[in-house]
Amino acid sequence: MLADRFSELQSVFLSVRKYLMEERADGAHGFAPEKKLEKPSTRRQVKEGLHLAFSLGAFLALDKYLKSMFLANAIRFPSALFGMLSLFLLLTTLSAVSTGAANKVEAFFSPAILFIQRWLPLFYVPSLVVVPLAVKGIPASEGVKIGAILFGGWMASLLVAGYTAVQVRKMVNTELLPADPVPKAAPFTSTERISWIAAMLVFFGVAVRYPTVLGPESTTAAPFLLAATVVGYLVGTSFPEAAKKVFHPIIVCAVTADIGAYALGMATGKGFEPTLGAYLTKSAGSPGAGDVLMGFLGPVILSFAFSMYRQRKVVQRHAAEIITGVVVSSLFSLYSTAAIGRVLGLLPALTAAIIPRCVTVALALPIATLLEGNNASLTAAAVVVTGLIGANFAQVVMDKFGLKDPIARGMATAASAHGLGTAALAGKEPEALPYCAIAYALTGIISTLLCALPPVRASLLLIAGAA
């Protein structure tokens, strides 16, 4: 009996030994059991926070300096775009001299670039939030014309950009090689959502109970309205993909901010419209929540320098397709919008405001200013609506019209629906994303450069009937 027990123990020992040996072998081949992720240390979090603060602060400081310099010299060209081109030139020059030096500059700004990428749609929202004030004087018939121009113009721009890229690719016949992946920002966590909701409630109480504690009432209301805007964006990003097609995070964000303004207006007795008017004051002395968010549009443009630098090999290899496609689609979008607005009898001032419909908000607003458009909210709304149309329908339309080439699909999406279209393409067509990302930046840059040319600007205004 003792011998039997010993035999059983020996059998168990051998089984355990065999299992451990297998586990060790699996580990040697890369199949080690998954280890529990450790939380980053407090020291590391502080270091990363300081790195983000310094890199983002550098962007903001550069943007502020360029704005003041251009304003002092009465230069109408967008200062941030000049800064972006200068940064890109600096990076490419450094790379030619010392790749290590260029990589260090890129590494320094990397946290700020990821921050901008993560929160990018939020910076486009302020002009959309105050649309209820901006459209008060616009007749419904004009609104219908604008809607027709945005939808029809989006589809035309998509097809022009896509087919231009296809035709040029047939001529140059450049082999399509895998591009470097575009880095993705971290998703939002439930802790972030809960924290912002708590902050929103606290700031609401402060704004109601102590309306002048921070100075003017618009300044005291700004933290609450900012938190309400952020909460709307975080809630919108948490929706399932199917729901986002109807309730896009930007729409949820804008509606939440408007609801917050209404609630604060009722609680303080000021009413909805005066409270919403404090959201975007465009005053340095008493900035609102929208002014804070729009203060990041300059750094958004500056960050394009790094996107272009990272994808410079793609641009060099496929320069013919990318440059030709972007230039042709940019010219088409600008001039077709001005012409269709004139044909439909849209008011010239409204036509001028929506001409940069296919350009990211960060550059569409300066373009509208160059074209003497005086309705920034309408410009931003036209850009966002165009982006939402593209985000929902671009892939279906491209499939229907036989646009299968990744370069053509990426360029068509970005040239017609800018950042929102790019974001929609990211999860479904990673092979097209690098071309989409570079076309997204170049479309805004080239459209701005074109509109900065006096002959182009004058001809657009003449066609629109605004000259």
Side-chain angles (χ1 to χ4, degrees):
M1 189 172 180
L2 186 60
D4 292 338
R5 290 287 184 185
F6 179 76
S7 179
E8 289 175 7
L9 288 172
Q10 187 179 30
S11 177
V12 170
F13 173 76
L14 291 173
S15 298
V16 171
R17 183 185 177 193
K18 181 180 179 183
Y19 172 77
L20 291 174
M21 292 294 289
E22 289 174 350
E23 285 292 298
R24 185 178 297 176
D26 285 343
H29 289 86
F31 298 106
E34 186 178 347
K35 292 183 179 179
K36 204 170 184 179
L37 291 175
E38 295 181 3
K39 287 186 177 181
S41 64
T42 304
R43 184 177 179 181
R44 180 182 170 188
Q45 288 178 326
V46 170
K47 185 178 179 181
E48 290 176 350
L50 288 173
H51 191 178
L52 172 61
F54 280 117
S55 59
L56 192 59
F59 268 145
L60 290 167
L62 177 59
D63 179 50
K64 185 176 181 180
Y65 170 75
L66 290 172
K67 280 181 180 176
S68 62
M69 185 179 71
F70 273 53
L71 187 63
N73 292 278
I75 301 174
R76 295 187 65 188
F77 188 80
S79 58
L81 184 55
F82 171 81
M84 185 281 297
L85 294 172
S86 300
L87 276 175
F88 178 69
L89 182 62
L90 172 65
L91 287 168
T92 50
T93 304
L94 274 178
S95 179
V97 176
S98 170
T99 306
N103 290 341
K104 285 181 180 179
V105 173
E106 185 181 7
F108 172 76
F109 284 102
S110 182
I113 294 167
L114 287 175
F115 174 87
I116 289 170
Q117 181 185 344
R118 194 171 189 235
W119 295 99
L120 183 61
L122 200 61
F123 308 140
Y124 298 161
V125 165
S127 295
L128 196 61
V129 172
V130 297
V131 159
L133 301 178
V135 300
K136 284 183 66 178
I138 299 178
S141 58
E142 300 296 279
V144 172
K145 294 174 186 177
I146 290 172
I149 292 172
L150 295 183
F151 187 84
W154 162 77
M155 182 176 288
S157 296
L158 176 89
L159 296 177
V160 166
Y163 282 124
T164 299
V166 168
Q167 294 305 315
V168 175
R169 277 189 56 69
K170 286 181 180 178
M171 289 189 286
V172 298
N173 199 27
T174 307
E175 183 184 359
L176 182 64
L177 298 177
D180 295 333
V182 177
K184 294 182 180 180
F188 296 108
T189 64
S190 57
T191 303
E192 287 177 298
R193 295 187 180 94
I194 294 170
S195 299
W196 275 104
I197 291 172
M200 179 182 70
L201 296 174
V202 170
F203 292 142
F204 179 79
V206 171
V208 173
R209 184 70 180 84
Y210 309 102
T212 58
V213 69
L214 297 177
E217 290 187 19
S218 60
T219 304
T220 306
F224 163 68
L225 294 174
L226 176 62
T229 308
V230 174
V231 167
Y233 180 60
L234 295 178
V235 170
T237 57
S238 68
F239 287 174
E241 289 301 319
K244 287 180 184 177
K245 291 185 177 181
V246 180
F247 303 104
H248 193 279
I250 283 187
I251 300 299
V252 177
C253 182
V255 170
T256 304
D258 284 334
I259 292 173
Y262 178 83
L264 184 60
M266 294 300 102
T268 59
K270 287 186 61 178
F272 172 62
E273 290 190 4
T275 304
L276 188 60
Y279 185 88
L280 190 60
T281 65
K282 298 181 181 179
S283 169
S286 56
D291 299 286
V292 173
L293 293 173
M294 291 190 74
F296 286 94
L297 290 180
V300 168
I301 299 172
L302 293 174
S303 70
F304 286 170
F306 295 88
S307 301
M308 292 175 59
Y309 175 72
R310 287 172 179 168
Q311 300 297 337
R312 64 193 183 283
K313 292 180 181 178
V314 172
V315 176
Q316 290 170 358
R317 182 172 183 79
H318 299 286
E321 304 99 296
I322 293 174
I323 301 300
T324 305
V326 169
V327 171
V328 170
S329 64
S330 297
L331 285 168
F332 174 81
S333 297
L334 295 169
Y335 279 97
S336 65
T337 305
I340 296 172
R342 182 71 173 270
V343 169
L344 294 180
L346 185 65
L347 292 172
L350 300 181
T351 302
I354 66 170
I355 282 176
R357 58 181 172 77
C358 288
V359 179
T360 180
V361 171
L363 287 170
L365 295 178
I367 289 175
T369 301
L370 287 171
L371 297 175
E372 301 173 10
N374 56 4
N375 195 330
S377 294
L378 178 59
T379 300
V383 171
V384 171
V385 169
T386 300
L388 291 173
I389 294 171
N392 286 306
F393 301 109
Q395 290 170 302
V396 175
V397 173
M398 288 189 292
D399 291 341
K400 185 73 175 177
F401 283 87
L403 289 173
K404 299 179 181 179
D405 184 84
I407 294 180
R409 289 177 74 87
M411 291 192 58
T413 302
S416 62
H418 45 81
L420 296 181
T422 301
L425 199 70
K428 299 175 182 177
E429 300 185 31
E431 70 282 359
L433 184 58
Y435 310 102
C436 198
I438 193 64
Y440 160 56
L442 284 176
T443 297
I445 294 165
I446 289 177
S447 296
T448 307
L449 292 173
L450 287 170
C451 290
L453 298 173
V456 174
R457 187 165 66 247
S459 60
L460 284 171
L461 291 174
L462 181 64
I463 293 171

